[in-house]
């Protein structure tokens, strides 16, 4: 797109501001000033911002554009300053460039392109906090402020492909209980051995129903902790299970199956991050296919899990770069994104 230099500069300035989940104030301040300088009335709650094309009283359905302000913390593996925001060899470098700064600045640009003339919907753009840690002061704190949303566009790095389905997330903290004893004797019940039986179930069990776009439910044991002395049989073994749901089962249904098959104590961190999907027959997906966009199922979660309305996840950059050292986004990816959003949404009947 032409005239996008100011959006590149906005992204570079955002990268220069550390904004891990829960610490987004300075980044929110920057975006707020940018929007106000362009004549927008900015609404804000905590570190969440939004702008509206017109009042809900106009009677049009609402279309939401959303991206998140926060990042994960910088890993130790960076070979350059993660907050440099440097332009080098056709790339903008730095933490948050790909996830989720590229989507954020591109959706802002798309908002101005779309609102330059009348649309059959009321358009809301929102930049929200605490996406990376599913915090209570992020998307959930403000989603009731936007009225009755008919469709959401969630900006995340997808290579500008349409994520028509997204796996949900269920994290389980499990504890196997045993009886302590001396390792040299026959007494005691080893909690590690008990945990191994349940871990083997998580490793081998397959939920029967698979999704067209998301495949099977995926369960992975990702952490384990037990014991402190070489000569003491441990009486507890704690382990964590990462489960990615596929839309064929709710998180509550998956938890019920787990509880029926394991002996350890199981505590879910949250049941609310369910899988999400949008009908491939919906107007926005049909439009996307018409303009040559590809549909796929995404293995990663986003603010789509927070929505009680249909959402389409799409944005510049690649998911594979997210949460990795030496994060970057290509200028070519950034330059094309707003134009694709415009083609996808201009005059769309939702």
């Amino acid at each position: 797109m032409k005239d996008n230099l100011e959006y590149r500069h906005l992204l570079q300035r955002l990268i220069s501001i550390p904004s891990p989940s829960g610490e987004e104030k300075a980044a929110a301040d920057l975006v707020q000033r940018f929007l106000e300088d362009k004549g927008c009335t900015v609404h804000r709650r905590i570190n969440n911002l939004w702008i509206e094309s017109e009042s809900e009283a106009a009677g049009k359905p609402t279309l939401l554009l959303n991206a998140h302000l926060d990042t994960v913390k910088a890993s130790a593996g960076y070979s350059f300053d993660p907050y440099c925001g440097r332009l080098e060899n056709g790339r903008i470098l730095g933490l948050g460039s790909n996830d989720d700064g590229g989507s954020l600045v591109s959706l802002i640009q798309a908002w101005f392109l779309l609102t330059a003339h009348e649309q059959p919907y009321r358009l809301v753009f929102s930049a929200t906090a605490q996406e990376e840690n599913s915090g209570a002061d992020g998307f959930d704190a403000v989603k009731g402020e936007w009225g009755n949303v008919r469709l959401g566009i969630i900006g995340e790095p997808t290579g500008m492909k349409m994520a028509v389905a997204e796996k949900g997330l269920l994290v389980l903290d499990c504890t196997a209980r045993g009886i302590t004893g001396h390792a040299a004797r026959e007494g005691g019940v080893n909690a590690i051995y008990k945990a191994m039986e349940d871990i083997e179930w998580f490793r081998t069990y397959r939920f029967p129903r698979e999704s067209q776009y998301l495949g099977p439910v995926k369960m992975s044991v990702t952490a384990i902790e037990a014991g402190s002395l070489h000569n003491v049989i441990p009486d507890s073994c704690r382990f964590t299970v990462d489960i990615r749901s596929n839309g064929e089962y709710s998180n509550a249904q998956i938890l019920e199956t787990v509880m029926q098959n394991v002996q350890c104590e199981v505590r879910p961190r949250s049941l609310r991050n369910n899988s999400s999907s949008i009908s491939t027959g919906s107007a926005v997906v049909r439009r996307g296919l018409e303009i040559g966009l590809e549909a796929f199922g995404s293995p990663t979660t986003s603010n789509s899990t927070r929505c009680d309305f249909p959402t389409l996840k799409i944005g510049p950059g690649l998911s594979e770069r997210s949460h990795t050292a030496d994060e970057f986004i290509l200028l070519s990816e950034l330059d094309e994104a707003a134009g694709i959003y415009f083609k996808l949404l201009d005059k769309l009947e939702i």
Side-chain angles (χ1 to χ4, degrees):
M1 290 295 295
K2 297 186 298 182
D3 305 323
N4 60 2
L5 191 59
E6 64 178 326
Y7 296 98
R8 292 184 188 178
H9 290 164
L10 175 60
L11 176 56
Q12 291 176 286
R13 283 180 285 162
L14 277 170
I15 294 168
S16 73
I17 300 171
S19 53
S21 298
E23 301 176 31
E24 304 93 344
K25 182 180 184 303
D29 291 344
L30 172 63
V31 175
Q32 181 170 357
R33 287 194 303 271
F34 179 88
L35 294 172
E36 288 176 341
D37 287 346
K38 292 181 74 66
C40 297
T41 298
V42 179
H43 307 273
R44 179 165 180 168
R45 175 177 292 179
I46 319 173
N47 295 323
N48 304 286
L49 314 171
W50 67 97
I51 54 178
E52 306 169 355
S53 64
E54 53 191 288
S55 105
E56 191 179 15
K60 294 180 180 179
T62 297
L63 193 159
L64 172 71
L65 309 177
N66 174 258
H68 64 89
L69 289 160
D70 60 316
T71 70
V72 295
K73 292 185 177 181
S75 76
Y78 268 84
S79 64
F80 52 78
D81 176 6
Y83 307 109
C84 66
R86 189 167 70 244
L87 177 58
E88 183 178 284
N89 297 325
R91 303 175 173 188
I92 294 179
L93 308 178
L95 180 63
S97 56
N98 180 77
D99 183 14
D100 193 31
S103 290
L104 191 146
V105 301
S106 297
L107 284 173
I108 293 175
Q109 186 176 8
W111 191 89
F112 285 106
L113 292 171
L114 290 164
T115 57
H117 53 272
E118 187 171 358
Q119 297 292 346
Y121 46 77
R122 168 180 174 261
L123 191 63
V124 176
F125 165 78
S126 62
T128 50
Q130 297 190 9
E131 190 272 347
E132 297 290 4
N133 69 347
S134 300
D137 289 335
F139 191 93
D140 285 344
V142 291
K143 65 182 181 181
E145 299 291 334
W146 306 320
N148 184 21
V149 178
R150 185 78 59 83
L151 172 67
I153 302 297
I154 306 298
E156 289 279 354
T158 68
M160 294 310 291
K161 297 177 182 178
M162 299 185 294
V164 297
E166 176 183 278
K167 281 196 170 181
L169 173 62
L170 175 62
V171 179
L172 304 180
D173 292 310
C174 303
T175 304
R177 300 292 182 186
I179 301 172
T180 191
H182 198 295
R185 301 181 182 277
E186 296 301 321
V189 176
N190 196 317
I192 293 176
Y193 297 158
K194 293 186 68 175
M196 287 170 60
E197 297 175 7
D198 289 336
I199 290 172
E200 180 65 8
W201 181 85
F202 282 114
R203 189 182 74 85
T204 59
Y205 183 78
R206 298 294 180 265
F207 284 84
R209 298 197 300 274
E210 296 192 7
S211 162
Q212 175 187 356
Y213 283 102
L214 298 175
V217 173
K218 187 176 187 299
M219 300 193 290
S220 305
V221 176
T222 54
I224 187 167
E225 179 184 8
S228 59
L229 297 171
H230 76 88
N231 59 351
V232 178
I233 291 174
D235 61 359
S236 69
C237 179
R238 294 173 293 279
F239 61 96
T240 301
V241 187
D242 178 292
I243 302 177
R244 304 290 168 153
S245 53
N246 68 349
E248 297 295 318
Y249 305 88
S250 69
N251 285 348
Q253 289 172 321
I254 291 173
L255 177 62
E256 182 180 3
T257 299
V258 169
M259 299 289 284
Q260 291 172 350
N261 286 276
V262 300
Q263 302 302 311
C264 60
E265 299 171 9
V266 178
R267 182 172 61 84
R269 295 185 185 178
S270 173
L271 292 175
R272 65 184 180 176
N273 295 327
N274 283 291
S275 175
S276 63
S277 64
I278 185 170
S279 169
T280 53
S282 66
V284 68
V285 176
R286 292 201 312 271
R287 170 75 68 84
L289 295 173
E290 288 169 2
I291 64 174
L293 302 184
E294 180 182 335
F296 78 109
S298 171
T300 59
T301 60
S302 71
N303 279 333
S304 288
T305 64
R306 302 278 187 265
C307 300
D308 54 4
F309 46 84
T311 59
L312 182 68
K313 183 168 73 174
I314 179 172
L318 297 177
S319 179
E320 294 88 335
R321 297 180 204 144
S322 301
H323 306 181
T324 63
D326 293 354
E327 187 179 342
F328 68 90
I329 192 166
L330 298 175
L331 286 183
S332 58
E333 294 170 330
L334 200 63
D335 290 347
E336 72 173 2
I340 293 175
Y341 283 134
F342 181 80
K343 291 178 182 178
L344 181 66
L345 301 174
D346 186 40
K347 298 293 195 284
L348 183 71
E349 295 287 347
I350 61 172

